[in-house]
Amino acid sequence: MLYQEIVEEEMAIMDEETPDEPSKTLSPHEIHVPLHSLMHPPVTIDSGRSTQEAIDRMLDNKVGAILIVSDGVLKGIFGERDVLLKILNKPVGDLTQIPIEQFMKADPQAAYVEDSLDTAILYMAQGGYRHIPIVNEQNQPVGIVSIRHIISYLVEHFPQEVLTLPPKPDNDAMKSREGA
């Protein structure tokens, strides 16, 4: 029996065993959770500091992004993807001598403490972000929300739905793949 036929047979069996009731969706109450209940304290570094200092601070605090501030006001964000895409395997020079401003994303999209989960998800989806700074009215960082925080919230509030999701292989992808 071909692999494709096996997959189709398994999918048919799963469809028979899956109840016809709709899957649970987030109610307005659950999606309008204020960001202050999801956010974590931000890790910051002053503008003008070296890129190496920013990387070291991220490693020391075990975070994927660091906020760059000047006089306490948000100026940029620098994350692990910046390291991967802008620094690794590139002839950038001595990172202890290069200011973080050279690699940070200046004036990042930010949300406010009173904004809700749906706002953070919207900003992340539109901008392709993994982290959203949370600021006060003076644009001072008071927190950060990452995609990991959002996933943790969803798993915590919808454990059964997340743990029992049936696999849905992309049958077209399986047809086109060859080799290793």
Side-chain angles (χ1 to χ4, degrees):
M1 190 183 285
L2 292 171
Y3 181 72
Q4 182 65 29
E5 292 172 356
I6 294 170
V7 169
E8 288 173 5
E9 183 179 311
E10 289 295 322
M11 293 298 289
I13 292 170
M14 282 178 19
D15 288 341
E16 290 172 11
E17 295 173 354
T18 304
D20 290 336
E21 61 190 54
S23 62
K24 186 172 180 181
T25 59
L26 288 170
S27 72
H29 171 72
E30 293 162 321
I31 197 82
H32 290 294
V33 173
L35 290 178
H36 70 77
S37 64
L38 291 169
M39 70 183 196
H40 288 247
V43 176
T44 62
I45 192 167
D46 290 327
S47 61
R49 304 306 293 251
S50 76
T51 301
Q52 187 63 55
E53 288 177 275
I55 293 170
D56 291 343
R57 185 156 305 167
M58 287 171 53
L59 290 170
D60 291 345
N61 289 278
K62 297 180 175 131
V63 295
I66 189 168
L67 304 179
I68 292 74
V69 296
S70 177
D71 295 323
V73 175
L74 180 66
K75 295 298 178 186
I77 187 169
F78 176 75
E80 58 200 3
R81 293 186 80 203
D82 294 314
V83 174
L84 290 171
L85 299 173
K86 298 175 183 176
I87 297 174
L88 278 181
N89 295 323
K90 304 246 191 308
V92 295
D94 183 2
L95 295 177
T96 63
Q97 302 301 312
I98 300 172
I100 190 62
E101 287 84 356
Q102 184 169 331
F103 298 112
M104 74 177 190
K105 164 95 172 88
D107 302 316
Q109 174 69 60
Y112 296 100
V113 174
E114 60 275 358
D115 285 340
S116 58
L117 173 60
D118 59 337
T119 301
I121 292 171
L122 177 67
Y123 290 163
M124 288 177 161
Q126 287 177 338
Y129 308 134
R130 294 175 184 227
H131 299 86
I132 296 290
I134 311 302
V135 296
N136 61 18
E137 294 77 24
Q138 293 79 34
N139 203 36
Q140 298 168 323
V142 294
I144 192 165
V145 172
S146 72
I147 193 69
R148 177 176 284 162
H149 301 143
I150 292 171
I151 291 171
S152 294
Y153 171 81
L154 295 174
V155 169
E156 180 181 328
H157 289 82
F158 298 92
Q160 192 61 31
E161 289 77 7
V162 171
L163 294 174
T164 60
L165 285 173
K168 298 278 185 182
D170 183 357
N171 292 335
D172 291 334
M174 289 182 202
K175 288 179 191 175
S176 63
R177 287 204 53 173
E178 292 184 19

